[in-house]
Amino acid sequence: MCGIVGAIARRNVVPILLEGLKRLEYRGYDSAGIAVVNGALHRVRSTGRVAELARRAQDASLAGPLGIAHTRWATHGVPSERNAHPHISGGLSVVHNGIIENHEEMRERLQREGYTFTSDTDTEVIAHLVHSKLALGFGLFDAVRASIAELTGAYAIAVVEEKDAARLVVARMGAPLLLGVGKGENFAASDASALVQVTQNVIYLEEGDCAELTLEAIRVIDAKGEKVERPVHVSSISSAEVELGPYRHYMQKEIFEQPIAVANTLELVVNSRGISPQLFGADAERIFRDIDSVLILACGTSYHAGMVARYWLEALASIPCNVEIASEYRYRESVPNRKALIVTISQSGETADTIAALQHAKSLGHQYCLSICNVPESGLVRQSQLHFLTRAGPEIGVASTKAFTTQLAALVLLTMTIAKLRGRLSEEREAQLMHALRHLPAALTHVLSVEDRVEQWAETFAKRDDALFLGRGIHYPIAMEGALKLKEISYIHAEAYAAGELKHGPLALIDKNMPVVAIAPKDALFEKLKSNLQEVRARGGELYVFADQDAGLADSEGVHVITMPDHAGLLSPILHTIPLQLLAYHVALRKGTDVDKPRNLAKSVTVE
């Protein structure tokens, strides 16, 4: 959510800033802006896409060796040019991600001091506050440090001043920010993908850090006011990974990258004889042997992955498992269990609600925590004893695809590991599952072959206003994920139900205008599901069924069937995810929506 790019160099940084913003578009935004120092401070803002901002910057002949840029996702104040970042106070300019919780009292105080506010944002408070410190004689770096000491909330900020063009100052608390290390130039950004064009060397700032970037040096002061040296990491993100290539949209690209993403995630496992707790960290075996339950905390798509894992963990490992929406967990009275393993799941590792839920769990006395995440060095990973990196690569599309299937792959490994340590996984069963995991990337490739049939279905779906998704057992969360994908990018109202619940209310919705999507693997609940589907047909509903090869279902009047190429048993939820993603994608294409950047949504939700 929101994106920051900053740069100081001996060259014009405007192309660097704009390219960085383009690479951060996936985070979701409704306005964008850029400010550079070149003798004086110059600013350009736009409520359009970054391409519109670039056009305006070109028309204004914007150029300079020091600058900051931003994509804004509205929290305080409507999307408009006056609310777009960067914000200015005197000759100082600020960009900000996060939320300043005490902005109202700060605004009142600054107004009494004579400052005039021209926006509705909480960010403008930061600009005036820093300017007030400069007026007291502080240098820019010390002015920013003094200002953040008065802020309550979450922030990642970057600040420049026209009277001090030799430095860029940044700070973070509760929102991601990293530094890019160049030769005779340095950078800052919300995400390493924004800097891949200029450097692979990055420094991840810690909570409370404030940093000063000059042409030749980087100085970091931590939350205690002490100078620290943060290590330089070499980012694994390549320019090719964040480019669209031959695909029409990033979502399409990422759907088709799932076989290789899952293969990469499983790489350390499939070439070994069996599962090992070392996959999750050096202390994993000791911790896993001591736990008596699992509590999964996640949001959105990651929450659905956790719901699938609950079925796996209780069936295979015989360990109690609860799954909670992270944003709800921390606001209710719960009963802590020090023997529970807290599992947090996040694509970005910077999801504010999930990080806050983890911190809340720790405050209640929970001692064991594991993060499943796609981004090394993210906040969630750094705050967890144990972690597993999904190795999905950059996911640019707002609607998560390969992050979800790689999370499921990671959760299978976690289930097998805990089951093995609890004596619930026989050597024969372990060998069977290892074989299935080795075959999984190929099975995912086979499933992608159903795209042509799914595309035909999309013609009908695009004309509908509502859709119902049905699943039973372990496939009910997959139905929920399918409904989420459809509404995220096509704006069609969709909801999912456990199929057995049809007669308890949803049947009232069924008519010829309500398409019903059913996930129908040949499992223990298959016959029950068939009865549920008959309930739909008896009321004139149109069925769209994803079935296994041996399910014995075929097209008939009002029933459309796509047969899946593989039957995956325990791994079936992973395979059945793919056609639901394809359905959402092709429906969105026909409706002409913005597939990669759906309205009102952001990729990395770094505010509550």
Side-chain angles (χ1 to χ4, degrees):
M1 177 179 297
C2 301
I4 288 175
V5 188
I8 182 168
R10 292 187 174 89
R11 53 176 165 158
N12 178 21
V13 299
V14 170
I16 297 170
L17 298 176
L18 291 172
E19 180 61 26
L21 290 188
K22 288 178 183 176
R23 295 179 185 273
L24 293 178
E25 285 189 292
Y26 73 91
R27 296 171 74 90
Y29 68 105
D30 44 52
S31 60
I34 183 171
V36 298
V37 175
N38 190 4
L41 182 67
H42 305 276
R43 176 179 65 172
V44 176
R45 297 183 293 178
S46 169
T47 54
R49 290 300 184 191
V50 172
E52 171 62 17
L53 178 68
R55 186 190 65 77
R56 291 191 179 192
Q58 183 178 15
D59 291 346
S61 300
L62 196 68
L66 171 66
I68 52 178
H70 189 265
T71 50
R72 175 180 186 254
W73 190 82
T75 55
H76 294 76
V78 299
S80 65
E81 188 169 323
R82 68 187 293 269
N83 287 329
H85 299 212
H87 289 286
I88 287 177
S89 182
L92 172 143
S93 188
V94 174
V95 292
H96 162 232
N97 290 350
I99 290 178
I100 304 304
E101 295 175 1
N102 62 336
H103 72 97
E104 291 179 345
E105 62 187 75
M106 297 298 295
R107 177 183 287 252
E108 291 176 2
R109 190 188 95 188
L110 289 162
Q111 285 174 329
R112 288 195 300 268
E113 293 177 10
Y115 285 95
T116 300
F117 284 77
T118 60
S119 78
D120 305 312
T121 69
D122 55 337
T123 301
E124 195 175 0
V125 163
I126 304 172
H128 293 320
L129 184 59
V130 176
H131 185 270
S132 72
K133 304 302 181 186
L134 293 174
L136 295 175
F138 287 79
L140 182 61
F141 185 55
D142 289 333
V144 172
R145 288 185 59 213
S147 296
I148 62 177
E150 299 182 32
L151 300 177
T152 301
Y155 56 81
I157 62 174
V159 188
V160 294
E161 184 198 6
E162 64 183 11
K163 293 181 180 179
D164 189 0
R167 70 200 75 253
L168 165 66
V169 178
V170 302
R172 74 164 295 251
M173 176 67 76
L177 193 68
L178 55 84
L179 310 180
V181 183
K183 295 181 179 179
E185 56 187 16
N186 288 301
F187 313 92
S190 302
D191 189 315
S193 63
L195 302 181
V196 70
Q197 51 170 322
V198 287
T199 184
Q200 296 287 115
N201 298 319
V202 298
I203 294 172
Y204 294 95
L205 295 178
E206 298 288 342
E207 292 284 270
D209 280 355
C210 187
E212 177 186 69
L213 290 70
T214 63
L215 290 171
E216 300 293 345
I218 292 174
R219 175 164 61 121
V220 181
I221 302 296
D222 68 12
K224 298 177 181 178
E226 298 176 358
K227 185 177 180 180
V228 292
E229 295 290 332
R230 299 296 184 208
V232 177
H233 300 264
V234 179
S235 173
S236 61
I237 298 175
S238 70
S239 183
E241 284 183 300
V242 293
E243 291 173 355
L244 190 56
Y247 296 95
R248 294 179 64 180
H249 299 91
Y250 280 105
M251 183 179 181
Q252 183 189 30
K253 176 177 184 270
E254 288 152 13
I255 289 172
F256 279 83
E257 284 177 341
Q258 286 176 109
I260 187 63
V262 169
N264 289 340
T265 298
L266 297 174
E267 183 179 17
L268 295 176
V269 179
V270 296
N271 295 321
S272 63
R273 291 185 177 181
I275 201 78
S276 168
Q278 299 302 312
L279 289 167
F280 301 91
D283 292 331
E285 182 169 355
R286 174 183 63 82
I287 290 173
F288 290 171
R289 287 190 184 280
D290 195 42
I291 62 172
D292 63 7
S293 61
V294 176
L295 172 60
I296 299 175
L297 304 172
C299 301
T301 286
S302 298
Y303 171 72
H304 296 157
M307 290 185 68
V308 174
R310 177 172 58 187
Y311 286 92
W312 282 333
L313 284 161
E314 296 200 343
L316 192 65
S318 296
I319 189 167
C321 178
N322 286 320
V323 187
E324 295 217 30
I325 298 171
S327 59
E328 292 291 321
Y329 167 71
R330 65 184 292 230
Y331 293 113
R332 73 172 185 85
E333 295 289 334
S334 59
V335 180
N337 173 13
R338 290 175 58 84
K339 291 283 190 177
L341 174 67
I342 304 296
V343 179
T344 53
I345 310 172
S346 169
Q347 187 280 138
S348 67
E350 301 293 352
T351 307
D353 288 318
T354 307
I355 291 176
L358 173 59
Q359 293 168 344
H360 179 65
K362 288 181 176 180
S363 74
L364 295 177
H366 287 285
Q367 56 182 330
Y368 301 139
C369 52
L370 160 71
S371 66
I372 293 175
C373 182
N374 190 40
V375 181
E377 298 299 331
S378 62
L380 197 63
V381 170
R382 291 199 302 270
Q383 294 181 45
S384 301
Q385 293 167 285
L386 308 176
H387 69 267
F388 185 93
L389 297 177
T390 54
R391 298 181 66 191
E395 188 180 63
I396 307 300
V398 167
S400 183
T401 52
K402 62 179 179 175
F404 180 65
T405 47
T406 54
Q407 287 169 357
L408 290 177
L411 289 162
V412 168
L413 299 181
L414 177 63
T415 299
M416 291 173 63
T417 302
I418 293 175
K420 187 174 182 178
L421 292 175
R422 290 170 63 85
R424 301 287 182 172
L425 188 67
S426 68
E427 289 186 9
E428 180 182 6
R429 182 61 170 145
E430 182 179 8
Q432 291 173 347
L433 290 172
M434 292 294 290
H435 174 75
L437 290 173
R438 293 186 187 100
H439 178 66
L440 183 57
L444 289 168
T445 301
H446 296 158
V447 172
L448 288 166
S449 66
V450 305
E451 184 178 27
D452 288 345
R453 288 290 313 281
V454 171
E455 198 169 354
Q456 294 172 14
W457 286 9
E459 293 284 352
T460 299
F461 271 79
K463 301 170 186 175
R464 300 292 186 248
D465 296 321
D466 306 279
L468 189 64
F469 286 69
L470 300 178
R472 294 205 72 150
I474 198 169
H475 293 88
Y476 168 46
I478 300 304
M480 296 175 70
E481 177 62 13
L484 176 62
K485 285 291 154 287
L486 187 66
K487 55 192 166 193
E488 274 184 308
I489 63 168
S490 75
Y491 315 148
I492 291 174
H493 168 251
E495 58 181 310
Y497 262 85
E501 286 293 288
L502 267 177
K503 54 189 172 293
H504 298 293
L507 270 178
L509 297 171
I510 300 300
D511 61 22
K512 59 184 178 61
N513 295 315
M514 170 74 86
V516 177
V517 179
I519 304 165
K522 187 69 179 297
D523 59 15
L525 291 172
F526 178 64
E527 293 301 326
K528 296 286 187 184
L529 179 64
K530 283 173 66 177
S531 297
N532 302 141
L533 300 186
Q534 288 300 321
E535 292 172 344
V536 172
R537 281 301 301 134
R539 288 148 181 90
E542 195 90 352
L543 282 168
Y544 295 82
V545 185
F546 294 103
D548 284 344
Q549 284 181 331
D550 55 352
L553 297 178
D555 285 350
S556 60
E557 184 179 356
V559 180
H560 313 276
V561 180
I562 289 179
T563 301
M564 302 285 283
D566 284 277
H567 177 70
L570 186 80
L571 304 182
S572 176
I574 303 177
L575 295 191
H576 277 85
T577 296
I578 306 297
L580 300 178
Q581 295 172 348
L582 289 169
L583 179 62
Y585 173 71
H586 284 289
V587 172
L589 282 187
R590 276 150 185 78
K591 289 182 68 68
T593 60
D594 193 338
V595 173
D596 288 331
K597 296 181 283 294
R599 66 191 184 197
N600 305 331
L601 299 181
K603 182 65 177 177
S604 181
V605 185
T606 56
V607 297
E608 286 192 75

